[in-house]
Amino acid sequence: MNRRILISGASITGLTLAYWLARHGFEPTVIERAPGLRGGGNGVDVRDQAIEVAERMGIMSRIQAARADVVGMAYVDDAGRNLARMVMQTGGDEVEIMRGDLAAILHQNARDGAEFVFGDSIAGMIQDADGVMVTFDHGGPRRFDLVIGADGIHSTVRRLAFGPEQRYLRYLGHYFAFADADPALGENRWVTAYNEPGRMAGIYRSGNHAGGKANFIFRRRDPVTFDHRDSEQHRRLLAEAFAGMGWRVPDLLAGALADPDLYVDSLAQVRMPAWSSGRIALAGDAAYCGSPVSGCGARLAMIGAYRLAGELAAAGGDHKVGFRRYQEGFTGTVRRMQQVGPNLRLVVPRSRLGAGIRNAIVKSPLLDSLAGMERILSPKSTRPLPDYQRLAVTRS
Ligand SMILES: Cc1cc2nc3c(=O)[nH]c(=O)nc-3n(C[C@H](O)[C@H](O)[C@H](O)COP(=O)(O)OP(=O)(O)OC[C@H]3O[C@@H](n4cnc5c(N)ncnc54)[C@H](O)[C@@H]3O)c2cc1C
C-alpha cells in the first residue's frame, strides 16, 4: 500500500487532507514554504458539503464558535452615504469564518496525525514505479510513495509535474488585492464597498476581530507581465489602479501599500484536464481554483481534500484507482462552482449604469437580502458526499 504521502502546502486543502489521510491509516508529511501557519485573509464560507466534512472531522462546533459576525454588505457613494444595503446572514449551519481562524482550527485537528515541516519547499521530484524521490530547497532528499500538491494557485508541484502555469491559469480580466486596514475606515460588522467603473475598493469588518480587511478589485482586459512574488510590482500596480478614486479609498490604499503582507494577484481560475500524473496529484486551488469571486475556495478545498483521501483509502491505497475516482466524482461540482460570471459583474460593474442596476437589484424586494441573492449565485455540489468513515482507522 502507498502509505507515505507528502503534501505540499499547509492551508485549507493541505490541512484537511492531512487529517483525513491520517484517519484512513496513511502517514502524511506536510511541507509549507512559510515559516509557520499562514494567518490572514478575509472571511471564507463553510457551507454546502464542507459542513458535512467539518462535522465528520468533529470541528463544526469550533468553526461555529469562531464565526465572523458580519451582518451584511453596504454599497456607498463618494460621501459614504448608503446606496444599497443588504443583510447577508448565512442560513442554517452555514458559517463565514476568517480564513486564518479556519486554518488554525484545521491545523490543531491535523497536527497529531501528520509530520509538519515549515520553512521549506519541494525543489524537484523524480517518480519511478515504486515511489517519488523528492529534493527540497533546504532539507535533504526523501522518498515518498505519493506526492499531493496543495500549494495554491501558483503551485510548485503543478509546475514541476504538469508544466508552466500559463497552460492552466485562465485570466478573468481583473486584478485583486487584500491587505490589513484601519478598522475606523469601515462600519463595524459590515462589508462596506465603493465602486467606480471597473474598480471596487472596500473594507471588511467582523465584530469578533479587532482589525479591518481592505479589498480591492480592478478591471484590466489584458494581463500584465506579472510576477506573483514581486511585491514592488504589486504595489505599483495597485497604486496606479486606484489613484484618484473617491470615498475613503486614499486612506485604504495608503494602509494597503504600507502593509508588509499586502497580497496582489490576477483574478484567475485553474482549469486542468487531469489532476494527477502518475504518483503525483493536485487538490484545492492548485488543481481547480475558482478565484476569490467564486466564493467557493474553502468549500472546494475541504470537499476535494476529503474526497481525495477517501478515494485513496477506498482503493486500498492504489493511486491509479484512487486518483481517477477522485477526479471523476468531483469534476461536476468543480465545473459548477467555477461559474463566476454574475458574481464578477455584481462586484465590479463596468459602468455607472451597471452599478445603478446592481444597487437596484440589491434593494429589490425580491432579493432584499443577500441570503436570497446567495441562494441564486452560490452553486451546490452535484453529487452526494460519499461516506468513507468505515475506512477510518481508530487511533489510540
Ligand atoms: C495568506 C492567505 C490569504 C488568503 N486570503 C483569502 C481571502 O481573503 N479570500 C479568499 O477567497 N481566498 C483567500 N485565500 C485563498 C484561499 O485560502 C483558497 O482559495 C482556498 O481556501 C483553497 O486553499 P488551498 O489550501 O488550496 O490554497 P491556499 O490557501 O492558497 O494555500 C496554499 C498554501 O501552500 C503554500 N505554498 C505555496 N507554495 C508552496 C511551496 N512551493 N512549498 C510549500 N508550500 C507552499 C502557501 O504558503 C499556502 O499556505 C488566501 C490564501 C492565503 C494563503
Side-chain angles (χ1 to χ4, degrees):
M1 174 170 162
N2 293 314
R3 231 172 243 296
R4 290 162 307 153
I5 303 183
L6 178 62
I7 301 167
S8 175
S11 182
I12 311 304
T13 303
L15 296 165
T16 308
L17 187 60
Y19 171 84
W20 281 108
L21 285 174
R23 273 285 294 273
H24 293 311
F26 296 97
E27 295 165 18
T29 294
V30 183
I31 182 154
E32 164 60 49
R33 179 158 32 208
L37 195 66
R38 293 181 69 182
N42 293 288
V44 295
D45 288 337
V46 177
R47 59 167 62 185
D48 185 33
Q49 291 180 350
I51 296 172
E52 281 173 75
V53 172
E55 276 165 356
R56 293 176 193 185
M57 294 169 86
I59 56 171
M60 198 56 208
S61 57
R62 270 185 275 164
I63 291 175
Q64 291 276 8
R67 66 191 305 152
D69 64 343
V70 170
V71 179
M73 177 127 191
Y75 291 103
V76 296
D77 69 8
D78 195 17
R81 288 181 297 249
N82 286 300
L83 296 170
R85 208 169 158 86
M86 57 202 173
V87 172
M88 58 180 197
Q89 300 287 20
T90 44
D93 290 334
E94 294 174 358
V95 175
E96 186 174 18
I97 178 171
M98 302 305 276
R99 195 208 70 93
D101 291 345
L102 179 59
I105 292 170
L106 290 169
H107 180 236
Q108 204 178 32
N109 215 40
R111 67 183 171 202
D112 290 344
E115 175 194 9
F116 279 85
V117 180
F118 286 97
D120 207 349
S121 166
I122 294 175
M125 297 181 290
I126 298 172
Q127 53 174 321
D128 54 42
D130 302 320
V132 189
M133 195 63 199
V134 184
T135 54
F136 298 92
D137 284 351
H138 303 295
R142 289 174 68 177
R143 198 169 165 79
F144 292 89
D145 298 320
L146 305 173
V147 177
I148 312 290
D151 42 3
I153 188 166
H154 300 295
S155 167
T156 297
V157 172
R158 191 185 58 222
R159 177 173 51 77
L160 293 172
F162 298 81
E165 68 178 30
Q166 292 84 338
R167 280 189 206 159
Y168 308 111
L169 256 59
R170 183 178 291 192
Y171 177 59
L172 296 179
H174 292 71
Y175 284 78
F176 71 95
F178 299 132
D180 283 343
D182 176 355
L185 295 171
E187 183 178 346
N188 196 25
R189 301 186 64 204
W190 284 79
V191 182
T192 314
Y194 172 70
N195 283 105
E196 288 183 7
R199 302 189 280 184
M200 187 284 291
I203 174 166
Y204 178 105
R205 278 196 66 188
S206 156
N208 296 335
H209 297 79
K213 301 281 176 189
N215 304 291
F216 303 86
I217 305 186
F218 65 96
R219 187 169 139 76
R220 186 165 184 135
R221 210 168 57 115
D222 300 314
V224 295
T225 308
F226 187 78
D227 177 351
H228 71 270
R229 294 208 182 171
D230 182 352
S231 58
E232 281 317 306
Q233 182 198 26
H234 300 172
R235 285 183 165 73
R236 272 197 313 276
L237 198 62
L238 191 67
E240 282 167 18
F242 286 89
M245 205 166 161
W247 184 56
R248 294 168 180 165
V249 179
D251 292 334
L252 284 173
L253 185 61
L257 296 175
D259 181 353
D261 293 325
L262 168 68
Y263 184 89
V264 181
D265 206 346
S266 61
L267 202 64
Q269 295 191 328
V270 175
R271 304 234 178 168
M272 301 189 73
W275 302 336
S276 62
S277 168
R279 294 179 167 273
I280 300 168
L282 302 172
D285 276 8
Y288 33 76
C289 176
S291 89
V293 287
S294 75
C296 296
R299 242 188 298 175
L300 284 176
M302 292 176 72
I303 305 168
Y306 169 85
R307 279 181 166 272
L308 172 54
E311 293 297 351
L312 270 177
D318 180 336
H319 61 281
K320 289 188 187 141
V321 177
F323 288 168
R324 178 170 48 76
R325 289 194 185 144
Y326 154 60
Q327 177 152 359
E328 281 172 2
F330 197 41
T331 297
T333 296
V334 166
R335 293 277 170 273
R336 185 171 289 201
M337 292 196 187
Q338 285 189 325
Q339 308 296 322
V340 298
N343 303 33
L344 199 47
R345 264 170 261 139
L346 288 166
V347 174
V348 196
R350 291 183 194 175
S351 62
R352 291 193 191 284
L353 178 65
I357 293 170
R358 187 270 319 276
N359 293 341
I361 293 172
V362 165
K363 285 195 287 193
S364 138
L366 291 173
L367 289 169
D368 60 355
S369 77
L370 191 60
M373 178 108 85
E374 292 232 67
R375 263 193 293 281
I376 292 168
L377 294 179
S378 185
K380 298 281 179 291
S381 301
T382 56
R383 292 194 187 186
L385 195 66
D387 186 355
Y388 306 108
Q389 296 277 57
R390 65 196 157 79
L391 302 166
V393 170
T394 309
R395 281 177 290 143
S396 53

